[in-house]
C-alpha cells in the first residue's frame, strides 16, 4: 500500500517533468515567438493610442483650469466693485 502511493507520486512527478519539457519547447518555438512579437506590437500600438488620448485630455483639462481661473478672477473683481459701490452709497 505504501509502495503504491510512492509509485503513483513518482509517476505524477515524471509526467510533470515530461509535460514541462514539452511545454518549454512549445513556448520557445518559432511560431510561439512570432505570436509573442505580434502581441507585443499590438500592445505598443495600444499604448501609443492611449498616450495620445491622455495628452488630449490633459490639454483640455489645462484649458478648463485656465477658464475657471479667469471666471474666478472676474467674479472677484465684480464682488470687489460691488462692495466698494455699497460703501460709497452708505
Amino acid at each position: 500500500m505504501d509502495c503504491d502511493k510512492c509509485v503513483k507520486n513518482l509517476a505524477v512527478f515524471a509526467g510533470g517533468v515530461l509535460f514541462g519539457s514539452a511545454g518549454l519547447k512549445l513556448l520557445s518555438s518559432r511560431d510561439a515567438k512570432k505570436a509573442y512579437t505580434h502581441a507585443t506590437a499590438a500592445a505598443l500600438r495600444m499604448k501609443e493610442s492611449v498616450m495620445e488620448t491622455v495628452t488630449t485630455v490633459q490639454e483640455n483639462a489645462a484649458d478648463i483650469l485656465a477658464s475657471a481661473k479667469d471666471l474666478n478672477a472676474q467674479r472677484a473683481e465684480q464682488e470687489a466693485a460691488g462692495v466698494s459701490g455699497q460703501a460709497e452709497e452708505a
Side-chain angles (χ1 to χ4, degrees):
M1 184 170 235
D2 215 15
C3 189
D4 290 339
K5 186 176 181 183
C6 183
V7 170
K8 181 180 176 184
N9 286 340
L10 186 59
V12 168
F13 176 76
V17 168
L18 288 174
F19 184 73
S21 297
L24 188 59
K25 286 194 181 248
L26 179 67
L27 291 175
S28 62
S29 70
R30 182 177 294 157
D31 290 334
K33 287 181 182 178
K34 189 182 281 188
Y36 304 149
T37 303
H38 286 287
T40 303
L44 289 173
R45 286 191 304 270
M46 183 178 68
K47 177 190 169 203
E48 290 174 9
S49 174
V50 168
M51 292 308 294
E52 288 174 4
T53 303
V54 166
T55 302
T56 302
V57 169
Q58 286 176 338
E59 290 170 353
N60 289 338
D63 292 343
I64 291 169
L65 179 62
S67 296
K69 285 181 179 181
D70 289 343
L71 277 173
N72 282 339
Q74 289 175 359
R75 178 177 270 175
E77 289 175 8
Q78 289 174 352
E79 288 177 0
V83 170
S84 65
Q86 290 176 358
E88 290 175 3
E89 290 176 5

